[in-house]
Amino acid sequence: MIVTLDQKITRRSTLKAATAAGFGLAAAGTMLGSRTSPVLAQDSEEPEVIVGDVQEFQLTNEDMWAGHFGSVTLTMHPGFFDGGDAWYIRTDSSDADFAEANGLVYVPLLRNALSVEGSYGEIYLFDGGTDDQRAVVSTIPGNDDFTPAYRVNNVTFTGDAELLSSVADIMAASDAGSIEIEQTENVVNYPIVLWPDGGLPVDPDLENPLGPGILISEPDTEAGTVEFKLHECYPGSRYIATDTSAVPMAPMMGVVASAPTQGLIEAGATAPIYVFGNGLAGPAAMGFQPSVFNSKAGDVIWSPFWEHFTVVWNDDAEPALITSEAEVLEREAAGELTIYPGTPDTEGQSFVVNCPAPILATNDFDPEAFAAG
C-alpha cells in the first residue's frame, strides 16, 4: 500500500503525543544542551512519518521490483553551490525549535559535530533577498571536504538585496556590509541529491538493497521530488542511505563518499548500527536479517550518522533473530558472536554511513517466510 501525504501522521502530532508521554533524558557524557528529544511511541501498528518532507511511501515493494525494500518520496529543495544548482533533502537538526518548525527529526547529538573541525560544512539560509535566492552550501559530493552535516548560518540583507549564489559571493557581501551573518550552533543533516555535473545513482535493476544505486527513479526537479529505497532496521525504524565515510566502499554501496563524516565518531555525533554478516537470510545490506540499531529514530541517543559494526555468528553458535542492541551485546558476552568495527576486512576501523530515518514502523520481518521466498 502506498501512503500519500494526506494519509500520513505528521511530526507535529507525533511530538504532541510524545510530549504527553514524557521525554527521554540525555546521557553518555555528551553536551546536548537543556532540551531532550521525545521518545516516539510505537504502540500502534500504523507507521509514523517523522520527516515533514515525506510525500508518500510504501514499506514493501508491492511486487513492483525484485529487491526486498520499500520506497519513500521526499521533497527536494533547490540550493546553490559555487553558482550552480545543488538540490538537497532535509531530514535532521540539532536544534529543537528549528526541527519543529521545519518538520525535521530532532537529533541533539548532531551539535557535537562542532567540536571536530572539518566534520561539518556550512549552509547559508536567507531571510529575504531576491525572488530567486536559494540556500547556499559550502561543499557538494565529489569534493574531498564533502559532508552533509552543515552548520546553519542565517543571512539577512542590510541594504538592497542581490542574488548570492556562492560562499564567495556571501563573504564579499559581508565584507561590503550589505549582509549580516548569524552563525548558529544548529547542525543539520541535508544530504545532496543533485549537484553540478552529478547526482545520487539510480538503480536500474532494483534487486539489491544498496548498490548499484539508492534511488528508485531519476529525481524530478520540476516537481521537486526524489524517490529513495526504504529499508527496515530494529527497533522500529525505516531508513534511507545517502553517503559514507568509507570512500573506497561508496561506489559498491551505491552511495557517495563523505570522508569528513568519519570525524563525527570522534565528535560523539554518531550512534552504533549492527549489520549481520551471516546467520538468518534477510533483506539487509549483507543479505541477512535486518540490522539492529541502539534506539528508534527520534530517541535522544539516536543519530542518522551510523557507526558501522558487523556482527558475525561464531561457528558453534545457532543463529537466531536478534532485535535489540542489548541482545547483540549479551550474545557477544556469551561467546556466540563476534562484533567487528567496520567489517572483518577493515582491521578494527569502523566507518560512518548516513542513514536518515523518515518513518517509524513496527518491524515485520519473518525469517521463515523470507527463507521460503
Side-chain angles (χ1 to χ4, degrees), residues 16-23 39 41:
K16 287 181 178 178
T19 301
F23 290 86
V39 178

Side-chain angles (χ1 to χ4, degrees), residues 3 10 25 52 109 117 220 241 257 329:
V3 180
T10 66
L25 297 177
L109 284 178
E117 190 69 31
D220 186 340
L329 300 179

Side-chain angles (χ1 to χ4, degrees), residues 196-216:
D197 301 321
L200 294 180
V202 177
D203 186 347
D205 303 317
L206 299 180
E207 295 177 352
N208 299 318
L210 295 178
I214 53 176
L215 299 186
I216 299 288

Side-chain angles (χ1 to χ4, degrees), residues 266-302:
E266 177 187 350
T270 62
I273 183 74
Y274 302 95
V275 181
F276 287 80
N278 64 0
L280 301 177
M286 292 186 177
F288 301 99
Q289 74 150 79
S291 302
V292 173
F293 199 63
N294 68 334
S295 63
K296 285 195 292 290
D299 289 349
V300 70
I301 61 172
W302 184 81

Side-chain angles (χ1 to χ4, degrees), residues 4-337:
T4 64
L5 180 65
D6 292 339
Q7 295 169 291
K8 75 181 184 182
I9 301 171
T10 66
R11 176 160 176 78
R12 181 177 298 276
S13 64
T14 301
L15 284 171
K16 287 181 178 178
T19 301
F23 290 86
L25 297 177
T30 52
M31 297 302 295
L32 304 179
S34 58
R35 292 181 181 270
T36 55
S37 179
V39 178
L40 303 178
Q42 267 291 262
D43 296 332
S44 169
E45 293 187 359
E46 291 297 320
E48 300 178 27
V49 172
I50 58 173
V51 170
D53 281 345
V54 170
Q55 296 201 8
E56 63 180 32
F57 66 93
Q58 53 188 19
L59 300 183
T60 60
N61 65 15
E62 299 288 335
D63 298 322
M64 295 172 64
W65 49 75
H68 296 283
F69 45 81
S71 69
V72 59
T73 300
L74 293 162
T75 300
M76 288 194 305
H77 296 267
F80 287 126
F81 169 76
D82 201 18
D85 293 338
W87 291 80
Y88 59 91
I89 59 171
R90 310 180 310 170
T91 58
D92 312 279
S93 168
S94 69
D95 181 271
D97 293 334
F98 187 92
E100 171 67 6
N102 291 277
L104 309 179
V105 180
Y106 171 44
V107 184
L109 284 178
L110 291 185
R111 197 180 74 176
N112 294 337
L114 299 177
S115 68
V116 176
E117 190 69 31
S119 69
Y120 59 93
E122 307 285 349
I123 187 169
Y124 297 86
L125 304 180
F126 290 81
D127 182 9
T130 63
D131 291 341
D132 49 354
Q133 182 65 64
R134 304 175 182 176
V136 173
V137 294
S138 64
T139 184
I140 56 171
N143 290 354
D144 291 340
D145 66 347
F146 172 66
T147 165
Y150 295 104
R151 175 170 55 186
V152 171
N153 298 267
N154 296 318
V155 180
T156 304
F157 286 91
T158 58
D160 293 337
E162 59 178 318
L163 180 65
L164 303 177
S165 61
S166 68
V167 173
D169 287 348
I170 292 171
M171 294 301 104
S174 177
D175 291 342
S178 59
I179 62 170
E180 292 182 351
I181 302 174
E182 176 200 9
Q183 187 179 85
T184 76
E185 293 186 345
N186 179 21
V187 177
V188 296
N189 184 19
Y190 282 8
I192 305 293
V193 176
L194 295 169
W195 55 93
D197 301 321
L200 294 180
V202 177
D203 186 347
D205 303 317
L206 299 180
E207 295 177 352
N208 299 318
L210 295 178
I214 53 176
L215 299 186
I216 299 288
S217 58
E218 293 289 344
D220 186 340
T221 56
E222 184 174 344
T225 59
V226 59
E227 186 179 16
F228 283 84
K229 295 176 180 178
L230 185 67
H231 310 283
E232 173 184 4
C233 70
Y234 291 98
S237 298
R238 304 298 170 111
Y239 68 93
I240 64 176
T242 60
D243 55 274
T244 181
S245 68
V247 175
M249 296 183 186
M252 70 183 74
M253 293 171 65
V255 300
V256 294
S258 55
T261 59
Q262 187 73 15
L264 298 176
I265 297 175
E266 177 187 350
T270 62
I273 183 74
Y274 302 95
V275 181
F276 287 80
N278 64 0
L280 301 177
M286 292 186 177
F288 301 99
Q289 74 150 79
S291 302
V292 173
F293 199 63
N294 68 334
S295 63
K296 285 195 292 290
D299 289 349
V300 70
I301 61 172
W302 184 81
S303 170
F305 291 98
W306 292 357
E307 183 178 6
H308 190 286
F309 294 88
T310 301
V311 176
V312 176
W313 290 94
N314 296 330
D315 291 340
D316 57 349
E318 181 68 27
L321 180 62
I322 293 182
T323 63
S324 70
E325 181 186 45
E327 188 175 356
V328 170
L329 300 179
E330 288 170 4
R331 297 270 189 164
E332 180 195 33
E336 297 180 66
L337 52 80

